[in-house]
Amino acid sequence: MKLEGKLELTWVGKNEEIKLEPRILVEDKSKSYGDPNTENMLIHGDNLLALKALEKDFAGKIKLVYIDPPYNTGSAFEFYEDNLEHSIWLSLMKPRLELLKNLLGENGVIAIEIDDNEQAYLRVLCDEIFGRNSFIAMLTIESGEVFGTKAAHINKTFVKVKDYILLYRKNSEVELQVKPLWTKIAEPFDNHYSNYIDEQTLEKKSLIDVLKSNENVCRIFEQYKLRINLDNISTLMSLNKEFSNFILNELSTKIFQDQPYSADLGEFAQSMQVGKIYKRNGKLLFKTSGGTIRYYKPFSDSLHCTDDYAQEYCRATARGDLWKNYHTDMRNIDDEGNVKFKSSKKSERLLRDLIFSLTDEQDIVLDSFLGSGTTIAVAHKMKRKWIGIEMGNHAYTHCKTRIDAIIDGKDLSGITNRENWKGGGGYKFYELAESLLVKNEKLPIYQINPNYTFEMMCEAICKIEGFDYMIEGSFHGKSSENRFIHITTEFVNAEYIKNLSKELSEKQSLLIYSTKFATDLRLPDNIVVKKIPKDLLKKCKFESEVR
């Protein structure tokens, strides 16, 4: 058997790659809003070209990418033509995922929401781009219920009530940090917690004896005609809020069950007396008659504020890869952000849970299929930096409208109360610039786009050549302390070169872009001259509007 080739997904057009033009982003200051010093960005334009425009400045800086691309379901949505053949859909996704990978930091994560139509293909594609070792999980999101119009199909199929979120990390060798999410356990009490211990005296009592000695507790048990025993504690907690609060808030740190203890105590273990309670390393320890060491775990360790639709401080368990009950959000989702987005809107709670689990405050969150703006709305309320890209008109009608209201403190929907959001912050609004080079209307040649100012042209050429655009003397940008670029529409001759050379030190070099220059130039070793537009056409494809 020959061990050749590699495991990959193939399709028509997979290897048709375009050298994308790294466009510039032009701020529309009339649409930028709030704090002028903000780093948040709302970008209107084709998301593939916009991602390429971001690549130089943001490569390796994004902590979380969340995207909700078209699902390729075969139905036409109001805002998206979601009816793409598989090969076209995969060709749409591949270059975008490759750019998004470049933008992620070494500890970054990408979350892609998808349904059954393309989930399997997408996972194989992501394995190829990110590596199978970078796969984290496939979350299953309960997004619907079988009722109403969905119930009409129960005798024809198994009705869809779920979506998926594929999670991949940028670098599989960097340890993943996840903050757990908590969901309520049906039984409010675990009767294994049968011991009451006074942590000051280390005296141990039976929990039942402690409850029986409390007159108010006895009254409540009697009111519901329940005997005071371990099995009835859960029942009474479910029936009576006062008793539940008493257990959760007053007794939870004093109620214990015993668990195995694995840490090495060295000589201290030999000196322990059987049955006696010791306080060591923040735990209550004891030795059994068989000589093993155990510790008392407090009931409070099992209590958490849940991340469920209805938040509650209660006995909870860490959520796994099955995220239930998001269909409850769908009943109120039309009101979130005060913008309508039929059939495509995501709940703020879902985005909140993802962003909470995988980022910290001031991390950058990016969404390049922004839709109604849910991702940036949630990121803003959670004090994360954000970049949102949307090509449709709803970049203005939905995304901008929604985030403006959040900055003004007027949006009371979604996670506003949960995050105690009062308003503030801001963003800069950018339009993706037109192509730098366009075809001449009369001649079969390329020319500088007449809509470009000289400053825009300089910034665009700097980006194409990998320079940071900044004016410094006669130079328009630099890529290092020793390499500079100069751009001009003037005629470049020997005298022109001589004057520029005076601004260079011995170890510095210069790239000159010019529309016209003398053909007999004798250049020093540290200076290169390129022609506009001829040499730019070698760098990338212009006028590309890729979908």
Side-chain angles (χ1 to χ4, degrees):
M1 178 179 174
K2 289 183 111 179
L3 300 177
E4 295 180 356
K6 64 177 180 177
L7 181 65
E8 64 177 314
L9 185 66
T10 62
W11 65 87
V12 176
K14 176 181 180 180
N15 297 317
E16 294 177 9
E17 299 202 11
I18 299 173
K19 294 179 72 174
L20 290 171
E21 174 191 4
R23 303 276 185 92
I24 63 171
L25 298 170
V26 181
E27 183 183 358
D28 184 342
K29 293 186 178 180
S30 70
K31 293 185 176 68
S32 296
Y33 202 76
D35 181 5
N37 298 315
T38 181
E39 297 178 50
N40 298 327
M41 303 172 70
L42 178 53
I43 303 168
H44 176 236
D46 179 279
N47 63 6
L48 181 60
L49 293 169
L51 289 171
K52 187 66 178 177
L54 292 169
E55 189 174 32
K56 184 179 185 307
D57 292 331
F58 288 92
K61 294 182 180 180
I62 307 300
K63 182 62 180 293
L64 174 65
V65 168
Y66 167 83
I67 56 172
D68 178 25
Y71 285 0
N72 201 8
T73 60
S75 61
F77 290 170
E78 182 178 356
F79 298 113
Y80 294 117
E81 183 59 37
D82 193 15
N83 187 19
L84 304 174
E85 193 268 335
H86 287 294
S87 291
I88 299 174
W89 189 88
L90 289 165
S91 293
L92 176 147
M93 292 303 300
K94 180 176 179 286
R96 287 162 173 82
L97 291 173
E98 289 170 339
L99 282 168
L100 289 168
K101 180 184 178 182
N102 289 341
L103 291 171
L104 283 173
E106 290 302 299
N107 62 345
V109 173
I110 185 169
I112 312 167
E113 188 151 357
I114 199 71
D115 76 351
D116 286 316
N117 287 281
E118 296 291 354
Q119 176 271 125
Y121 296 96
L122 179 63
R123 180 161 177 183
V124 176
L125 177 59
C126 286
D127 282 348
E128 185 177 332
I129 292 172
F130 293 93
R132 286 190 73 173
N133 290 339
S134 291
F135 174 73
I136 300 169
M138 183 169 72
L139 308 180
T140 301
I141 313 298
E142 186 183 20
S143 57
E145 291 179 288
V146 184
F147 73 96
T149 55
K150 284 190 174 183
H153 305 290
I154 57 174
N155 61 339
K156 299 177 183 178
T157 188
F158 294 99
V159 179
K160 174 184 174 296
V161 293
K162 70 189 183 313
D163 289 321
Y164 304 103
I165 295 179
L166 285 174
L167 295 174
Y168 281 80
R169 51 185 158 175
K170 167 74 170 282
N171 187 341
S172 61
E173 295 183 0
V174 175
E175 185 176 357
L176 181 68
Q177 297 293 327
V178 178
K179 292 191 282 292
L181 298 162
W182 301 96
T183 191
K184 184 178 180 179
I185 296 175
E187 286 292 322
F189 188 77
D190 179 351
N191 59 17
H192 288 93
Y193 290 93
S194 58
N195 302 297
Y196 176 95
I197 300 175
D198 185 323
E199 286 203 66
Q200 299 301 317
T201 65
L202 299 184
E203 179 187 1
K204 184 176 76 170
K205 299 179 183 178
S206 161
L207 172 59
I208 296 304
D209 287 343
V210 172
L211 295 178
K212 286 180 177 179
S213 67
N214 187 304
E215 292 184 5
N216 193 44
V217 169
C218 291
R219 175 187 59 77
I220 297 173
F221 269 94
E222 186 177 341
Q223 176 185 341
Y224 290 91
K225 296 181 171 53
L226 293 172
R227 294 177 58 193
I228 302 178
N229 59 37
L230 291 172
D231 291 334
N232 284 334
I233 292 177
S234 263
T235 303
L236 191 58
M237 287 180 71
S238 300
L239 295 172
N240 188 277
K241 193 67 176 176
E242 181 185 357
F243 179 70
S244 179
N245 287 338
F246 175 68
I247 295 292
L248 296 177
N249 300 325
E250 295 189 38
L251 288 190
S252 62
T253 59
K254 303 172 183 177
I255 303 173
F256 298 84
Q257 66 163 305
D258 62 276
Q259 297 270 313
Y261 187 76
S262 58
D264 185 10
L265 294 172
E267 294 182 0
F268 180 76
Q270 303 300 319
S271 65
M272 292 174 66
Q273 298 178 26
V274 173
K276 183 178 178 180
I277 299 174
Y278 296 84
K279 195 169 189 177
R280 191 172 180 87
N281 299 331
K283 295 187 182 296
L284 300 181
L285 311 175
F286 70 99
K287 181 187 283 189
T288 68
S289 57
T292 59
I293 308 299
R294 297 178 71 84
Y295 80 99
Y296 286 108
K297 179 182 178 182
F299 182 57
S300 57
D301 281 3
S302 67
L303 303 179
H304 302 274
C305 185
T306 66
D307 297 283
D308 301 327
Y309 185 77
Q311 277 187 279
E312 185 178 350
Y313 181 69
C314 61
R315 186 165 166 249
T317 183
R319 188 188 301 172
D321 61 1
L322 175 59
W323 289 24
K324 302 175 74 174
N325 297 320
Y326 283 92
H327 61 277
T328 55
D329 299 55
M330 306 309 289
R331 300 166 190 160
N332 302 304
I333 202 169
D334 281 349
D335 298 326
E336 288 191 348
N338 296 311
V339 291
K340 303 293 183 183
F341 202 69
K342 187 178 179 182
S343 303
S344 299
K345 209 173 185 184
K346 300 304 171 189
S347 80
E348 288 199 10
R349 182 171 70 100
L350 176 59
L351 268 297
R352 177 264 169 199
D353 288 353
L354 274 174
I355 291 172
F356 169 81
S357 293
L358 297 167
T359 70
D360 297 309
E361 288 189 11
Q362 300 306 308
D363 283 339
I364 305 176
V365 177
L366 183 150
D367 186 343
S368 55
F369 291 87
L370 193 53
S372 68
T374 302
T375 304
I376 63 173
V378 172
H380 199 90
K381 293 176 185 178
M382 296 180 71
K383 299 182 178 64
R384 272 63 170 174
K385 298 174 185 176
W386 54 263
I387 300 172
I389 304 169
E390 181 50 55
M391 66 178 289
N393 190 56
H394 40 290
Y396 314 120
T397 59
H398 290 64
C399 305
K400 176 171 173 54
T401 299
R402 185 171 187 174
I403 198 68
D404 287 358
I406 290 170
I407 290 168
D408 290 339
K410 295 179 179 178
D411 174 22
L412 304 179
S413 63
I415 64 165
T416 295
N417 290 335
R418 182 172 193 163
E419 297 298 321
N420 195 29
W421 178 254
K422 303 297 182 184
Y427 65 93
K428 293 180 180 177
F429 192 100
Y430 294 90
E431 294 286 353
L432 183 66
E434 298 173 4
S435 188
L436 170 63
L437 300 183
V438 293
K439 289 180 180 176
N440 187 287
E441 292 182 0
K442 298 180 180 179
L443 300 172
I445 59 173
Y446 277 87
Q447 64 182 30
I448 295 293
N449 191 323
N451 293 326
Y452 265 59
T453 64
F454 178 74
E455 290 75 16
M456 289 172 65
M457 180 186 74
C458 290
E459 183 180 355
I461 293 175
C462 281
K463 180 165 279 193
I464 290 169
E465 282 286 355
F467 286 79
D468 293 324
Y469 174 60
M470 57 179 66
I471 306 299
E472 191 174 303
S474 298
F475 306 141
H476 296 101
K478 65 179 183 178
S479 62
S480 68
E481 291 302 316
N482 295 315
R483 189 162 184 257
F484 298 87
I485 186 171
H486 172 80
I487 301 158
T488 182
T489 56
E490 297 179 25
F491 183 71
V492 174
N493 55 21
E495 187 66 23
Y496 198 101
I497 297 289
K498 181 179 178 181
N499 290 332
L500 285 176
S501 298
K502 294 176 182 178
E503 297 186 42
L504 293 172
S505 67
E506 184 180 348
K507 295 183 178 180
Q508 292 178 333
S509 64
L510 178 64
L511 170 62
I512 300 172
Y513 259 99
S514 174
T515 53
K516 45 191 179 293
F517 53 82
T519 57
D520 58 348
L521 281 177
R522 298 183 64 182
L523 299 172
D525 292 339
N526 62 337
I527 294 180
V528 174
V529 177
K530 292 187 177 182
K531 188 174 180 61
I532 302 172
K534 177 185 174 182
D535 288 303
L536 289 170
L537 290 167
K538 300 174 184 177
K539 302 293 291 186
C540 55
K541 180 176 176 60
F542 293 89
E543 296 181 300
S544 54
E545 293 294 337
V546 185
R547 294 291 180 259

